[in-house]
Amino acid sequence: MIVSMAAYLVIDLSVRMTGLVRYSDAVGVKNFLAVLLGLVFGPWGAGGCCLGCFLGSVFLNDLDIYTLYECLADLIVGNGMWCLWHLRNKNGTVFLKKPVDYGRYLVMLLFLSCIAGLAAYVILPERDFIPYFGAYFILGIIVGIPILILMTSIICVEPFLPSWRKRNVGISGTVTSAPETLTAFNEQLEEYALGHKIKMKEIFSVQNCIEEVLIRFQEKNPDSETRIRVQFHDSVSIDFENDGERCNPFRAGKEEETENLMGLKLILHRALRSSYRHREGCNLVHIVM
């Protein structure tokens, strides 16, 4: 919600302070954010857009009926995209890959943009429909679609799901210091590759990445277990959860030789995204390849 608010606030203020759009404060490049962030993060994304709109108006001392309309429209469009998408999509993902996915996205966007335009016609003094409808519909297409593909298919941002949808967990397993646990997980990966026409070269690179991270974890926490989840999309998302002391596998110790990190550094060099955090006694690592 905070990230959504910050993104909306930055884009909103940059446009309004420079006077780039000279029609209405409720119309601008920012309108695609309600579509995108609402679809991916649900009420948190839509609420963040609404909060960013309110704070921007407070900062510019410009609280008026247009602020009220913009917050209302962002909530309608953002929450509407989220609810309608997951009402029909049963696998808990937000991908635009097949023609039916694009068709569903466009129909939903058209319907909700019409509602936003009608709300403007009823609430705002100029009683205008087209600019407010077009701001959500057109920007939701030309800006929203490319960024949505980048976020969910390439960078593998986890969407927020409603209570009636379960997340696709992909391949998951637990590995300990016992060698047979890693062997069993690697066999699971290879079986998945054979069943889904994934090249073995890609599987080998995933296995190599997993083994490099596990080496780092087991050096610091030798008796711990590591839960691993792998998801294959346009990219490969690998999540690690290791119980134990803080251990950032991407960082070398003060007395550690750089060569010990060479394998992992080579993997990260071609990774699209990597992150580490330690929370409640658990090391969390996320790598997108």
Side-chain angles (χ1 to χ4, degrees):
M1 188 172 187
I2 293 174
V3 171
S4 299
M5 177 201 71
Y8 200 94
L9 187 61
V10 168
I11 295 179
D12 188 19
L13 289 179
S14 63
V15 172
R16 291 170 66 177
M17 292 178 70
T18 56
L20 182 63
V21 177
R22 300 184 179 275
Y23 185 79
S24 166
D25 289 340
V27 173
V29 180
K30 60 188 175 182
N31 293 105
F32 85 92
L33 288 172
V35 179
L36 175 68
L37 299 177
L39 179 57
V40 177
F41 301 122
W44 303 110
C49 292
C50 184
L51 187 57
C53 168
F54 175 77
L55 292 178
S57 296
V58 170
F59 180 81
L60 295 175
N61 194 24
D62 195 23
L63 282 171
D64 54 16
I65 188 65
Y66 292 92
T67 304
L68 174 63
Y69 161 75
E70 189 176 343
C71 290
L72 177 63
D74 286 348
L75 291 174
I76 290 173
V77 173
N79 288 319
M81 292 291 293
W82 183 68
C83 291
L84 291 175
W85 179 271
H86 292 292
L87 189 65
R88 296 296 303 273
N89 187 63
K90 298 181 180 181
N91 56 13
T93 59
V94 183
F95 294 139
L96 296 179
K97 290 187 175 182
K98 301 177 181 178
V100 67
D101 298 328
Y102 286 93
R104 183 186 304 136
Y105 179 90
L106 293 174
V107 169
M108 290 163 38
L109 182 59
L110 176 63
F111 173 69
L112 293 168
S113 298
C114 286
I115 294 179
L118 289 173
Y121 185 82
V122 172
I123 295 174
L124 300 180
E126 66 267 23
R127 304 182 69 83
D128 208 347
F129 170 86
I130 295 297
Y132 301 93
F133 161 79
Y136 285 100
F137 184 67
I138 296 175
L139 290 170
I141 295 174
I142 63 175
V143 183
I145 288 179
I147 298 182
L148 179 63
I149 294 172
L150 177 65
M151 286 179 63
T152 60
S153 295
I154 307 301
I155 306 180
C156 295
V157 173
E158 291 278 1
F160 180 77
L161 302 182
S163 59
W164 65 85
R165 286 287 173 258
K166 292 184 179 180
R167 192 176 305 281
N168 179 14
V169 297
I171 303 171
S172 60
T174 301
V175 177
T176 65
S177 57
E180 60 269 18
T181 58
L182 178 58
T183 301
F185 189 78
N186 283 335
E187 290 176 352
Q188 186 180 358
L189 282 172
E190 292 171 8
E191 290 177 4
Y192 184 88
L194 292 174
H196 293 78
K197 298 181 180 180
I198 298 174
K199 296 179 180 179
M200 289 306 299
K201 179 180 179 181
E202 184 176 356
I203 292 294
F204 289 150
S205 66
V206 172
Q207 291 174 335
N208 184 23
C209 176
I210 291 173
E211 290 169 6
E212 291 287 350
V213 174
L214 287 175
I215 289 171
R216 307 287 297 170
F217 280 151
Q218 291 171 4
E219 286 178 352
K220 183 70 174 181
N221 303 305
D223 298 324
S224 66
E225 65 176 29
T226 304
R227 295 171 293 281
I228 308 171
R229 183 181 66 168
V230 182
Q231 293 177 291
F232 292 89
H233 306 304
D234 294 336
S235 55
V236 183
S237 174
I238 312 173
D239 290 281
F240 301 84
E241 296 181 7
N242 171 260
D243 299 320
E245 297 181 21
R246 182 183 296 272
C247 175
N248 186 347
F250 308 141
R251 183 176 298 172
K254 294 181 180 180
E255 299 179 357
E256 186 175 357
E257 295 182 359
T258 307
E259 289 78 4
N260 294 338
L261 265 176
M262 189 63 68
L264 189 59
K265 290 292 185 182
L266 290 174
I267 293 170
L268 294 177
H269 181 69
R270 61 188 184 88
L272 297 170
R273 175 186 174 197
S274 61
S275 64
Y276 167 81
R277 56 194 172 120
H278 187 266
R279 187 180 65 187
E280 298 178 355
C282 185
N283 295 293
L284 304 175
V285 171
H286 182 53
I287 298 176
V288 178
M289 303 174 63

